[in-house]
Amino acid sequence: MTKVSKQKYTLGCIVAIPLPDGRFAYAKAFNSFAFGIYDLVSNELLPLTDVISTRFSFYQACTEVAIKNGEWPVIGAEPFAD
């Protein structure tokens, strides 16, 4: 797995989560420690439009360490409506 060094992210960023079997899950950053997990798993990285057209399966609290160190790459962003 290739890592990106020191990646920044903001609220609304969409990240790809590499799974142990080589597939990818996807999440949206809601706040510092909450993420919406999309109801989607793919065999390869999908374009942002495919990811954001899917509904959320659940919400999960977690740290942002995997994003900041590049383990979970940011694939784009979908800003929140005010």
Side-chain angles (χ1 to χ4, degrees):
M1 173 178 11
T2 305
K3 289 186 181 182
V4 178
S5 61
K6 299 294 179 183
Q7 167 173 254
K8 291 185 180 185
Y9 82 102
T10 58
L11 296 182
C13 280
I14 311 298
V15 296
I17 304 168
L19 301 175
D21 64 0
R23 297 183 302 162
F24 295 91
Y26 301 88
K28 180 176 183 176
F30 272 75
N31 65 34
S32 297
F33 299 106
F35 293 84
I37 310 302
Y38 288 97
D39 191 18
L40 176 66
V41 175
S42 65
N43 291 321
E44 63 224 12
L45 280 175
L46 295 176
L48 180 65
T49 54
D50 291 354
V51 175
I52 63 175
S53 67
T54 306
R55 65 182 178 86
F56 292 109
S57 182
F58 61 94
Y59 299 88
Q60 180 67 46
C62 69
T63 69
E64 64 225 3
V65 172
I67 299 170
K68 287 185 174 182
N69 72 15
E71 289 179 50
W72 294 3
V74 174
I75 62 167
E78 181 188 34
F80 289 99
D82 287 336

